[in-house]
Amino acid sequence: MNSKLLKIGFIGGGKMAQAMAKGFISAGLTQGESIIASCHPSDLISHKAFKDLGAESIFENVPVVEKSEIVIVSTKPSVVPIALGDIKKAGIPADKLFLSVAMGVTIKQLEGFLPRESRVIRVMPNTPALVRSGASVYVCGNKATEKDATITKKLLESIGTCDEVTEGMLDPVTALSGSGPAYIYVLIEALADGAVKMGLPRDLAYRLASQTVLGASKMVKDTNTHPGILKDDVTSPAGSTAAGLHYLEQKGFRGTVIGAIETATQRCREVSQGGIK
């Protein structure tokens, strides 16, 4: 990929599309004027959000493909056949790279919805891409080239980490890193609520809780040490941490989190198996 700014289009202008667009702009890979997004006519909030980035924001899908080098499909899964069908029916040249973030819509389905010359890569970023701390994966379609994979990796690495995976891994990946931020937000909220119950001011409780999660995550990532060992390093004999951990185990904390990943994965599989025809 050369150093010129990429012309990027979004079919669907929701929160994930906005997070990715802002991340790409912050990373210097594109600018607002090089982005075009199609939003649902009723979604005036997303329409305005892209306008505020300096991007072109419209209510049609075909011009997005016509004006872009890379098209990111970021609609709800049930809308994908309709949105991509517009492109196929229009008969326009579609030898573009299409990146799909739609949950549960397979490579085979995407390639069937699009014109034959289109190149497809499935990607799964997450919303911390907005602050360039995303955790993303991608899977190349049958017609995607090595250059396409390189461009995709560069885009995703500009907004966080990036790994190539097999398509069979995408459902549990979605449950883990795609949905995971929501679980962590609940954890931060619960940590802060507990601290408030014990007498801390709420603003201080949120600052300490969020920094604690950030610091613990960085310890796991940067030291490459097993989380169980790091947990033991914090836990003194007969101390407060041991007491707190015992309570979490009594309440099934570990099993509850595992169950959340399992349930979210099953929902992803339901969508891919029966939600899109």
Side-chain angles (χ1 to χ4, degrees):
M1 182 172 61
N2 59 38
S3 60
K4 73 182 181 67
L5 296 173
L6 293 169
K7 294 180 180 178
I8 300 176
F10 290 87
I11 296 178
K15 292 188 182 301
M16 180 58 74
Q18 294 167 37
M20 294 178 76
K22 290 175 182 177
F24 298 155
I25 292 171
S26 296
L29 295 177
T30 190
Q31 58 186 10
E33 293 78 6
S34 298
I35 292 176
I36 179 172
S38 61
C39 302
H40 191 277
S42 66
D43 190 2
L44 298 180
I45 294 176
S46 295
H47 178 67
K48 182 179 183 301
F50 272 94
K51 286 282 190 183
D52 290 344
L53 290 175
E56 183 178 358
S57 186
I58 60 176
F59 301 115
E60 300 176 79
N61 297 321
V62 172
V64 172
V65 178
E66 291 177 319
K67 296 182 179 183
S68 304
E69 300 169 295
I70 300 169
V71 181
I72 298 176
V73 182
S74 50
T75 67
K76 293 180 179 179
S78 60
V79 179
V80 170
I82 301 169
L84 299 188
D86 291 345
I87 298 161
K88 200 168 187 177
K89 290 175 185 176
I92 60 171
D95 54 340
K96 311 286 179 78
L97 174 58
F98 288 80
L99 306 182
S100 173
V101 303
M103 179 188 75
V105 186
T106 66
I107 291 284
K108 182 178 180 180
Q109 290 169 330
L110 291 164
E111 291 177 342
F113 296 144
L114 285 164
R116 294 181 65 180
E117 69 271 21
S118 302
R119 308 185 310 281
V120 172
I121 294 181
R122 281 185 71 183
V123 300
M124 178 49 61
N126 60 7
T127 52
L130 180 60
V131 290
R132 298 179 67 183
S133 296
S136 304
V137 301
Y138 70 95
V139 181
C140 292
N142 295 316
K143 297 177 183 176
T145 65
E146 187 174 331
K147 182 180 178 182
D148 292 333
T150 299
I151 291 173
T152 300
K153 188 173 182 181
K154 185 161 187 176
L155 283 169
L156 296 177
E157 285 182 340
S158 76
I159 54 175
T161 64
C162 173
D163 290 281
E164 184 174 10
V165 298
T166 63
E167 190 165 29
M169 295 181 182
L170 276 184
D171 290 334
V173 164
T174 301
L176 174 59
S177 56
S179 302
Y183 313 150
I184 301 303
Y185 299 145
V186 171
L187 173 62
I188 290 172
E189 188 176 38
L191 288 169
D193 284 346
V196 169
K197 181 180 180 181
M198 293 295 101
L200 290 188
R202 184 163 292 278
D203 58 345
L204 176 61
Y206 276 127
R207 286 199 303 274
L208 292 175
S210 58
Q211 182 61 35
T212 297
V213 171
L214 178 64
S217 299
K218 191 171 177 61
M219 286 284 288
V220 173
K221 182 179 177 183
D222 290 358
T223 68
N224 201 30
T225 302
H226 192 283
I229 295 174
L230 295 173
K231 178 261 296 177
D232 289 348
D233 289 344
V234 182
T235 309
S236 302
S240 60
T241 304
L245 287 170
H246 184 214
Y247 187 84
L248 289 176
E249 294 293 347
Q250 283 180 316
K251 297 300 180 180
F253 176 78
R254 191 185 301 261
T256 299
V257 174
I258 292 170
I261 301 297
E262 181 180 12
T263 302
T265 300
Q266 293 298 343
R267 177 56 188 150
C268 292
R269 289 174 177 163
E270 289 171 6
V271 171
S272 61
Q273 291 170 3
I276 300 290
K277 303 295 183 185

